[in-house]
Coordinates of all heavy atoms in Angstrom, one line a residue:
Chain A
D664 N 143.6 0.4 133.6 CA 143.3 -0.8 134.3 C 143.6 -0.7 135.8 O 144.1 0.4 136.3 CB 144.0 -2.0 133.7 CG 145.5 -1.7 133.5 OD1 145.8 -0.7 132.8 OD2 146.3 -2.4 134.1
A665 N 143.4 -1.7 136.5 CA 143.6 -1.7 138.0 C 145.0 -1.4 138.4 O 145.2 -0.9 139.5 CB 143.2 -3.0 138.6
Y666 N 146.0 -1.6 137.6 CA 147.4 -1.5 138.0 C 148.0 -0.2 137.6 O 149.2 0.0 137.7 CB 148.2 -2.6 137.5 CG 147.7 -4.0 138.1 CD1 147.1 -4.9 137.2 CD2 147.9 -4.2 139.4 CE1 146.7 -6.1 137.8 CE2 147.5 -5.4 139.9 CZ 146.9 -6.4 139.1 OH 146.4 -7.6 139.6
A667 N 147.2 0.7 137.0 CA 147.8 2.0 136.6 C 148.3 2.7 137.8 O 147.8 2.5 138.9 CB 146.7 2.9 135.9
P668 N 149.4 3.5 137.6 CA 150.0 4.2 138.7 C 148.9 5.0 139.4 O 148.1 5.7 138.8 CB 151.0 5.1 138.1 CG 150.7 5.1 136.7 CD 150.0 3.9 136.3
Q669 N 148.9 5.0 140.7 CA 148.0 5.8 141.5 C 148.4 7.2 141.5 O 149.4 7.6 142.2 CB 147.8 5.2 142.9 CG 147.3 3.8 143.0 CD 148.2 2.9 143.9 OE1 149.1 3.4 144.6 NE2 147.8 1.7 144.0
K670 N 147.7 8.0 140.8 CA 148.0 9.4 140.7 C 147.8 10.1 142.0 O 146.7 10.0 142.6 CB 147.2 10.1 139.6 CG 147.8 10.1 138.2 CD 148.9 11.2 138.1 CE 149.7 10.9 136.8 NZ 151.1 11.4 136.9
K671 N 148.8 10.8 142.5 CA 148.6 11.5 143.7 C 147.8 12.8 143.4 O 147.8 13.3 142.4 CB 149.9 11.9 144.3 CG 150.5 10.7 145.1 CD 151.9 11.1 145.6 CE 152.9 11.3 144.5 NZ 154.3 11.4 144.8
R805 N 178.6 20.6 132.2 CA 178.5 19.5 131.2 C 177.7 18.4 131.8 O 176.8 17.8 131.2 CB 179.8 19.1 130.7 CG 179.8 17.8 129.9 CD 179.3 18.1 128.5 NE 179.1 16.8 127.8 CZ 180.0 16.3 127.0 NH1 181.1 16.9 126.7 NH2 179.7 15.1 126.4
E809 N 174.3 16.8 130.5 CA 174.1 15.4 130.2 C 172.9 14.8 130.8 O 172.2 13.9 130.3 CB 175.4 14.6 130.6 CG 176.6 14.7 129.6 CD 176.3 14.2 128.2 OE1 175.3 13.4 128.0 OE2 177.0 14.5 127.3
N810 N 172.6 15.2 132.1 CA 171.4 14.8 132.7 C 170.1 15.2 131.9 O 169.2 14.4 131.8 CB 171.3 15.3 134.1 CG 172.0 14.5 135.1 OD1 171.8 13.3 135.2 ND2 173.0 15.1 135.7
D813 N 169.9 13.1 128.8 CA 169.3 11.8 129.2 C 167.8 11.9 129.4 O 167.0 11.0 129.0 CB 170.0 11.3 130.5 CG 169.6 9.9 130.9 OD1 169.9 8.9 130.1 OD2 168.9 9.7 131.9
F814 N 167.4 12.9 130.1 CA 166.0 13.1 130.5 C 165.2 13.2 129.2 O 164.1 12.7 129.2 CB 165.9 14.4 131.3 CG 164.5 14.7 131.8 CD1 164.1 14.0 133.0 CD2 163.7 15.6 131.2 CE1 162.8 14.3 133.5 CE2 162.5 15.8 131.7 CZ 162.0 15.2 132.8
L815 N 165.7 14.0 128.3 CA 164.9 14.2 127.1 C 165.1 13.2 126.0 O 164.6 13.3 124.9 CB 165.2 15.6 126.5 CG 164.8 16.8 127.4 CD1 165.2 18.1 126.7 CD2 163.3 16.8 127.5
E816 N 165.9 12.2 126.3 CA 166.2 11.1 125.3 C 166.7 11.6 124.0 O 166.2 11.3 122.9 CB 165.0 10.2 125.2 CG 164.6 9.5 126.5 CD 163.3 8.9 126.4 OE1 162.6 8.8 125.4 OE2 162.8 8.4 127.5
E818 N 170.1 11.5 123.3 CA 171.6 11.1 123.2 C 172.1 11.0 121.8 O 173.2 11.3 121.5 CB 171.8 9.7 123.9 CG 171.5 9.7 125.4 CD 170.1 9.2 125.6 OE1 169.3 9.2 124.7 OE2 169.8 8.8 126.8
H819 N 171.2 10.5 120.9 CA 171.7 10.2 119.6 C 172.0 11.4 118.8 O 172.6 11.4 117.7 CB 170.7 9.3 118.8 CG 169.3 9.9 118.7 ND1 168.5 10.1 119.8 CD2 168.6 10.3 117.7 CE1 167.4 10.7 119.4 NE2 167.4 10.8 118.1
R821 N 173.4 14.2 120.2 CA 174.2 15.1 121.0 C 175.2 15.9 120.2 O 175.3 17.1 120.5 CB 175.0 14.2 122.0 CG 175.8 14.9 123.0 CD 176.6 13.9 123.8 NE 175.9 13.2 124.8 CZ 175.8 11.9 124.9 NH1 176.4 11.1 124.0 NH2 175.1 11.3 125.9
L860 N 151.2 13.4 115.8 CA 150.6 12.9 117.1 C 151.6 12.3 118.0 O 151.6 12.6 119.2 CB 149.5 11.9 116.7 CG 148.7 11.4 117.9 CD1 147.8 12.5 118.4 CD2 147.9 10.2 117.5
E864 N 152.6 13.5 121.7 CA 152.5 12.6 122.9 C 153.8 12.7 123.7 O 153.9 12.8 124.9 CB 152.2 11.2 122.5 CG 150.7 11.0 122.3 CD 150.4 9.6 121.8 OE1 151.3 8.8 121.6 OE2 149.2 9.3 121.5
R868 N 154.5 14.2 127.4 CA 155.1 13.4 128.5 C 156.3 14.2 129.1 O 156.5 14.2 130.4 CB 155.5 12.1 128.0 CG 155.9 11.1 129.0 CD 155.9 9.7 128.4 NE 156.8 9.5 127.3 CZ 158.1 9.3 127.4 NH1 158.6 9.1 128.6 NH2 158.8 9.2 126.3
F869 N 157.1 14.8 128.2 CA 158.3 15.5 128.8 C 157.9 16.7 129.7 O 158.4 16.9 130.7 CB 159.2 16.0 127.6 CG 160.0 14.9 127.0 CD1 159.9 14.7 125.6 CD2 160.7 14.0 127.8 CE1 160.6 13.6 125.0 CE2 161.4 13.0 127.2 CZ 161.4 12.8 125.8
D872 N 156.7 15.3 132.9 CA 157.8 14.8 133.7 C 158.6 16.0 134.3 O 159.1 15.9 135.4 CB 158.7 14.0 132.8 CG 158.1 12.6 132.5 OD1 157.1 12.3 133.2 OD2 158.7 11.9 131.7
D875 N 156.8 17.2 137.1 CA 156.7 16.2 138.2 C 158.0 16.0 138.9 O 158.1 16.1 140.1 CB 156.2 14.9 137.6 CG 155.8 13.9 138.6 OD1 155.1 14.3 139.5 OD2 156.1 12.7 138.5
E876 N 159.1 15.9 138.1 CA 160.4 15.6 138.7 C 161.1 16.8 139.3 O 161.7 16.7 140.3 CB 161.4 15.0 137.6 CG 160.9 13.8 136.9 CD 161.5 12.5 137.5 OE1 162.8 12.5 137.6 OE2 160.8 11.5 137.7
Chain B
K1049 N 177.4 3.2 128.1 CA 177.5 4.6 128.0 C 176.3 5.3 128.6 O 175.2 5.0 128.2 CB 177.6 5.0 126.5 CG 178.1 6.4 126.3 CD 178.5 6.7 124.9 CE 179.0 8.2 124.9 NZ 179.2 8.6 123.5
D1050 N 176.5 6.1 129.6 CA 175.4 6.7 130.3 C 175.9 8.1 130.6 O 177.0 8.4 130.9 CB 175.2 5.9 131.6 CG 173.7 6.1 132.0 OD1 173.0 6.7 131.3 OD2 173.4 5.6 133.1
F1051 N 175.0 9.1 130.4 CA 175.3 10.5 130.6 C 176.6 10.9 129.8 O 177.4 11.6 130.2 CB 175.6 10.8 132.0 CG 174.4 10.5 132.9 CD1 174.4 9.6 133.9 CD2 173.2 11.2 132.6 CE1 173.3 9.3 134.6 CE2 172.0 10.9 133.4 CZ 172.1 10.0 134.4
G1052 N 176.7 10.3 128.6 CA 177.8 10.6 127.7 C 179.1 10.1 128.0 O 180.1 10.4 127.3
Q1137 N 159.9 2.5 132.4 CA 158.5 2.7 132.6 C 157.6 2.0 131.5 O 156.6 1.4 131.7 CB 158.2 4.2 132.7 CG 156.8 4.5 133.0 CD 156.5 6.0 132.9 OE1 157.3 6.8 132.5 NE2 155.3 6.4 133.4
D1141 N 154.8 -0.6 132.1 CA 153.4 -0.4 131.7 C 152.9 -1.6 131.0 O 151.7 -2.0 131.2 CB 153.3 0.8 130.9 CG 153.3 2.1 131.7 OD1 153.2 2.0 132.9 OD2 153.5 3.2 131.2
L1144 N 152.2 -4.3 133.4 CA 151.0 -4.1 134.2 C 149.7 -4.4 133.4 O 148.7 -4.8 133.9 CB 151.0 -2.6 134.7 CG 152.0 -2.3 135.8 CD1 152.0 -0.9 136.2 CD2 151.8 -3.2 137.0
E1145 N 149.8 -4.0 132.1 CA 148.7 -4.2 131.3 C 148.3 -5.7 131.2 O 147.1 -6.1 131.1 CB 149.0 -3.7 129.9 CG 147.8 -3.5 129.0 CD 148.3 -3.0 127.6 OE1 149.3 -2.3 127.5 OE2 147.6 -3.4 126.6
K1147 N 149.2 -8.0 133.5 CA 149.4 -8.8 134.8 C 148.2 -9.6 135.1 O 148.3 -10.7 135.6 CB 149.7 -7.8 135.9 CG 150.1 -8.5 137.1 CD 150.8 -7.6 138.1 CE 151.3 -8.4 139.4 NZ 150.2 -9.1 140.0
D1148 N 147.0 -9.1 134.9 CA 145.8 -9.8 135.2 C 145.7 -11.1 134.5 O 145.1 -12.1 135.0 CB 144.5 -9.0 134.8 CG 144.2 -8.0 135.9 OD1 144.6 -8.2 137.0 OD2 143.6 -6.9 135.6
Q1161 N 164.5 4.6 137.0 CA 163.5 5.2 137.9 C 162.6 6.3 137.3 O 161.6 6.7 137.9 CB 164.3 5.9 139.1 CG 164.6 5.0 140.2 CD 165.2 5.7 141.3 OE1 166.2 6.3 141.2 NE2 164.6 5.6 142.5
R1162 N 163.1 6.8 136.1 CA 162.4 7.8 135.5 C 160.9 7.6 135.3 O 160.5 6.6 134.8 CB 163.0 8.0 134.1 CG 162.2 8.7 133.2 CD 163.0 10.0 133.0 NE 162.1 10.8 132.1 CZ 162.3 11.0 130.8 NH1 163.3 10.4 130.3 NH2 161.5 11.7 130.2
G1163 N 160.0 8.5 135.8 CA 158.6 8.4 135.7 C 157.9 7.3 136.5 O 156.7 7.1 136.4
R1165 N 157.8 7.3 139.8 CA 157.5 7.8 141.1 C 156.1 7.4 141.7 O 156.0 7.1 142.8 CB 157.6 9.3 141.1 CG 157.2 10.1 142.3 CD 157.2 11.5 142.0 NE 158.5 11.9 141.4 CZ 159.2 13.0 141.8 NH1 158.7 13.7 142.8 NH2 160.3 13.3 141.2
D1166 N 155.1 7.4 140.8 CA 153.7 7.1 141.3 C 153.4 5.6 141.3 O 152.2 5.3 141.6 CB 152.7 7.9 140.5 CG 152.9 9.4 140.7 OD1 153.3 9.8 141.7 OD2 152.6 10.1 139.7
Y1167 N 154.3 4.8 141.0 CA 154.0 3.3 140.9 C 154.3 2.8 142.3 O 155.4 2.2 142.5 CB 154.9 2.6 139.9 CG 154.5 3.0 138.4 CD1 154.7 4.3 138.0 CD2 154.0 2.0 137.6 CE1 154.4 4.6 136.6 CE2 153.7 2.3 136.3 CZ 153.9 3.6 135.8 OH 153.6 3.9 134.5
N1168 N 153.4 2.9 143.2 CA 153.7 2.4 144.6 C 153.0 1.1 144.9 O 152.6 0.9 146.0 CB 153.5 3.5 145.6 CG 152.4 4.5 145.2 OD1 151.5 4.1 144.5 ND2 152.5 5.7 145.7
H1169 N 152.9 0.2 144.0 CA 152.3 -1.1 144.3 C 153.4 -1.9 145.1 O 154.5 -1.8 144.8 CB 152.0 -1.9 143.0 CG 151.1 -1.1 142.1 ND1 149.7 -1.0 142.3 CD2 151.3 -0.4 141.0 CE1 149.2 -0.3 141.4 NE2 150.2 0.1 140.5
F1171 N 154.2 -4.8 144.8 CA 155.0 -5.9 144.0 C 155.9 -5.3 143.0 O 156.5 -6.0 142.2 CB 154.0 -6.8 143.3 CG 153.0 -6.1 142.4 CD1 153.3 -5.8 141.1 CD2 151.7 -5.8 142.9 CE1 152.4 -5.2 140.3 CE2 150.8 -5.2 142.0 CZ 151.2 -4.9 140.7
E1277 N 174.5 3.4 124.3 CA 173.7 4.4 125.0 C 172.2 4.2 124.8 O 171.4 4.2 125.7 CB 174.2 5.8 124.6 CG 173.7 6.9 125.5 CD 174.5 8.2 125.3 OE1 175.1 8.3 124.2 OE2 174.4 9.0 126.2
S1278 N 171.9 4.1 123.5 CA 170.5 3.8 123.1 C 170.6 3.2 121.7 O 171.6 3.2 121.1 CB 169.7 5.1 123.1 OG 170.0 5.8 121.9
E1280 N 169.5 4.2 119.0 CA 169.8 5.1 118.0 C 171.3 5.5 117.9 O 171.8 6.0 116.9 CB 169.1 6.4 118.1 CG 167.6 6.3 117.8 CD 166.8 6.5 119.1 OE1 167.3 6.4 120.2 OE2 165.5 6.6 118.9
T1281 N 172.1 5.2 119.0 CA 173.5 5.7 118.9 C 174.4 4.5 118.6 O 175.6 4.7 118.7 CB 173.9 6.2 120.3 OG1 173.7 5.2 121.3 CG2 173.0 7.4 120.7
D1643 N 151.9 1.5 119.5 CA 151.2 1.6 120.8 C 150.0 0.7 120.8 O 149.2 0.8 121.7 CB 150.9 3.0 121.1 CG 149.9 3.6 120.1 OD1 149.6 2.9 119.1 OD2 149.6 4.8 120.2
R1645 N 147.4 0.7 118.7 CA 146.2 1.1 118.0 C 146.2 0.6 116.5 O 147.3 0.2 116.0 CB 146.1 2.6 118.0 CG 145.7 3.2 119.3 CD 145.7 4.7 119.3 NE 147.1 5.2 119.0 CZ 147.3 6.0 117.9 NH1 146.4 6.4 117.2 NH2 148.6 6.4 117.7

Side-chain angles (χ1 to χ4, degrees):
Chain A
D664 49 300
Y666 298 109
Q669 297 134 2
K670 270 280 169 211
K671 278 177 293 193
R805 169 75 190 265
E809 283 294 345
N810 275 301
D813 183 68
F814 184 83
L815 294 176
E816 295 168 9
E818 295 95 345
H819 58 295
R821 189 184 280 123
L860 185 70
E864 280 175 0
R868 192 163 57 85
F869 286 126
D872 282 352
D875 196 43
E876 300 261 314
Chain B
K1049 194 170 183 189
D1050 207 3
F1051 302 117
Q1137 188 187 8
D1141 280 346
L1144 290 177
E1145 197 183 325
K1147 187 164 185 303
D1148 277 337
Q1161 274 185 304
R1162 165 109 187 259
R1165 177 187 305 230
D1166 294 331
Y1167 291 66
N1168 28 28
H1169 305 283
F1171 57 84
E1277 191 165 21
S1278 77
E1280 287 112 348
T1281 59
D1643 61 2
R1645 284 175 305 120

